[in-house]
Amino acid sequence: MSDSKIEWTEVTWNPTTGCSKISAGCTNCYAELFAKRLQAIGAEKYKNGFKLTLHPDVLIEPKKYKTPRIIFVSSMSDVFHKDIPLSFLKKIFEVMNETPRHIYQVLTKRAERMEKLAGELRWTENIWLGVTVENEKARYRIEHLRRVPAKIKFLSMEPLLEAVPDINLEGIDWVIVGGESGPKARPIKEEWILEIKNACEKYNAAFCFKQWGGFNKKANGRLLQGKIYDAIPNPYTNQHSLF
Ligand code: SF4
C-alpha cells in the first residue's frame, strides 16, 4: 500500500490495476496517465500499462498494517469492471471483512454491476461505497448505490463537468466535489458547487470540496468562498467530523 496525496483518504491499495473508459469523467483519467508513466519506467506492477490486471500478491497488504487506516481500494482501476471475476472480487471483500480496524473506500462508475453483484458480497460496516457522478447523465448511479447495503454511501462528483440540479441525497452520507486538473482540465463553475453544498445541508450529508483543479491545481487551491470544506462521515457517531 502507499500513502496517498488524495485529500479524502490516507493510503491506496491496488489489488487490481488498469481499466477502460466508460463515461465523460474518464476522458482525462489520471490512473491511465500514471499507469503508462510507471510502465515506461519499468515498474513491474504496471508492465501491462493500463490493461486490467489482477494482483493476488498484494491482497495480503492491509493485514500487515496494525494501526487503523483509511484505504482507497483500487485507485488505479475500477473494482466493478467487467473483467474482474466475481471470485477475485470476493477475495478483496474477504480481506476487507477480516480487517475491521481499517475503513475501505470503494468507488466505482460501474454502478449496474455493483448492484448486480452486491448480494454475493459481505458488506461489513468498514466498507464505504461510492459512485462517481460527474454530470447529469451519471445521476442514475445514485439509485443503484442506494440499493446496496453498505453502511456509508458516498458520491464523488469529480471532475464535476456540469450542473447536477435538484440532486436527491436521501441515504447518501458524504459528497466530494472537485474540478478537473491537468493541461486538458475542463472548467468547473462555483454555482454548480454551491448547489451541491446546499443539497448536502438539506439532506445532512457531509460535504468535502477537494479542489478547483485547472492547469495549476496547487495555485487554484481549494477554498470555496474563503473556506475549506473537509467534512467526512464519522462512522462511530454518524456525525460529520474530521477524524
Ligand atoms: S472508471 Fe476510473 S479508472 Fe476507469 S477509466 Fe474511468 S476514470 Fe479511469
Side-chain angles (χ1 to χ4, degrees), residues 38-93:
L38 289 164
Q39 182 185 34
I41 61 167
E44 173 62 21
K45 191 170 181 183
Y46 292 91
K47 63 178 184 217
N48 296 333
F50 198 50
K51 188 171 178 291
L52 201 292
T53 306
L54 310 182
H55 300 278
D57 52 312
V58 306
L59 280 170
I60 189 82
E61 284 185 352
K63 295 190 174 178
K64 295 183 194 161
Y65 284 80
K66 299 300 171 206
T67 49
R69 301 287 169 105
I70 302 177
I71 301 171
F72 181 12
V73 182
S74 285
S75 61
M76 296 292 285
S77 181
D78 185 329
V79 166
F80 290 100
H81 191 283
K82 65 175 175 44
D83 294 342
I84 300 176
L86 177 59
S87 57
F88 194 75
L89 206 47
K90 282 185 170 174
K91 286 184 183 159
I92 296 173
F93 270 69

Side-chain angles (χ1 to χ4, degrees), residues 156-172:
S156 169
M157 303 189 75
E158 186 193 7
L160 187 62
L161 300 174
E162 64 183 14
V164 185
D166 302 319
I167 191 164
N168 176 359
L169 298 178
E170 198 72 55
I172 304 301

Side-chain angles (χ1 to χ4, degrees), residues 19-22 25-26 29 31 50 77-78 109-110:
C19 195
S20 51
K21 297 186 180 188
I22 188 170
C26 299
C29 172
F50 198 50
S77 181
D78 185 329
K109 289 188 177 71
R110 272 87 180 172

